[in-house]
Amino acid sequence: MTEPVFTPRVFSGIQPSGNLTLGNYLGALKRFANSQNAGVESIFCMVDLHAITVWQEPGKLRRATRELAAGFIASGIDPQKSILFNQSQVPEHTQLAWVFNCVARMGWMKRMTQFKDKAGKNAEQASLGLFGYPALMAADILVYHATHVPVGEDQKQHLELTRDIAIKFNNDYGVDFFPITEPVIEGAATRVMSLRDGTKKMSKSDPSDMSRINLTDDSDTIAKKIRKAKTDPEPLPLDATGLENRPEARNLVNIYAALSDQSVDQVMRDAGGKSFSEFKPMLADLAVDKLSPISTEMGRLMQDVCEIDRILAEGAERARAIATPILQKTYEIAGMVGARV
Ligand code: AQP
């Protein structure tokens, strides 16, 4: 049988579960803008249904969703070129997720490290949604027949599960219907680490605000957080090999490389041998230079939430035009009876 050819299409999402961080920007948003600007059809989603797998206060969720939309646009996503919307406006995501709940196996879900991390010791009290999260994520991607998914390193396991679900669906029904999606995890900042602990991922939900840079932080706050970032007492090594086993130093160098669009080797040519008291101000200046226009633009966009809502509604309509026929075809393959809409 000849392999079906899927048109290249990018999909990725971010949860509106709090302030956007530098990790979200470098691991996701900045790379989303690159894929859009390379001319690939790109679909970006604020995954609000994923966010409620842990408790979200409704008013805060609404604000976070709009602020995230502003973050996407301020980071270079053009809602005319790309499709930008929030997940709950496109019911095909959850409809396909149900089918995938019936394809995925309990054992696969139990192996997901993010569930174990987020549920902690109290897994019995975690929501069923948190457990089933990866099946909804597979549906988010496959309801558009997306071929490429730019994400940070932390999402690698979920993307492998997305591939397993597509393969099992195709095998079970004897079709070549869903593409086997490629994760795109590349660049110096696929895993930005906490500023307080170089072995922990920078995360919006970390209780310590000093652990992360938020896209809404002002210049003084960014500079202060970098100044206070944990480091070891040694100066930077002379080349990148010397960064091994120095997680905090490596993290700051990776951030510098990603913000300045350089390789780690290039950064080390300029910064190798410098003390942190020299390197941190260089990094703070660069971070302020790159991030403050984004935060200013987010503030401006948030002045007009009606316009943000209009953009999201229009994006949802364009998304549904792709998702509806794919869901209908899935139902038909699975043997559901019903008129096509
Ligand atoms: N520290 C990070 N470094 C690189 N990429 C990161 N991403 C998140 N943190 C980093 C990438 O951002 C995208 C959206 O992530 P998400 O909001 O859907 O969920 P998450 O990965 O769970 O992010 P957080 O910040 O840790 O959120 P909370 O605290 O709510 O769980 C993904 O592509 C992710 O890889």
Side-chain angles (χ1 to χ4, degrees), residues 12-15 17 21 23-24 27-28 32 47 114 118 133 150-155 189-193 201-206:
S12 203
I14 299 189
Q15 297 184 69
S17 49
T21 69
N24 297 131
F32 296 171
V47 286
Q114 194 174 82
K118 289 200 171 178
Y133 184 119
V151 278
E153 177 73 36
D154 59 320
Q155 292 298 328
T190 53
R191 192 167 175 82
V192 178
M193 309 309 275
K201 187 184 85 152
M202 183 181 285
S203 172
K204 344 182 176 76
S205 52
D206 191 307

